[in-house]
Amino acid sequence: MRAETPEEQRWGLVLPVKGGRGAKSRLGELAAGGLALAVALDCLAAVRGCPRVGAVVVVTGDPVTAAAVGALP
């Protein structure tokens, strides 16, 4: 088996997402309308789009966030 060159190596990434009511609390009322979930999903899309990132694991205790991430293709 041939070893990967640095250009071929892919990274595994763990994306922690707080989710729920406490997420992005510094944004106040803006976060209540789903903005925190949108930020999390945008961040996930960005890392999944990176060619050097292989596996991505999202860690969250929020069932709404978990369902939204689980529904992605």
Side-chain angles (χ1 to χ4, degrees):
M1 188 171 212
R2 165 180 89 73
E4 291 180 332
T5 65
E7 293 78 30
E8 296 171 323
Q9 290 178 347
R10 296 179 61 137
W11 292 87
L13 189 131
V14 176
L15 181 64
V17 178
K18 186 174 187 177
R21 292 181 180 218
K24 301 296 179 201
S25 59
R26 290 174 287 173
L27 296 176
E29 291 298 316
L30 291 173
L35 180 62
L37 179 59
V39 168
L41 294 177
D42 284 351
C43 184
L44 178 58
V47 299
R48 288 177 73 188
C50 179
R52 296 291 300 272
V53 173
V56 179
V57 176
V58 176
V59 178
T60 185
D62 179 52
V64 173
T65 301
V69 170
L72 294 174

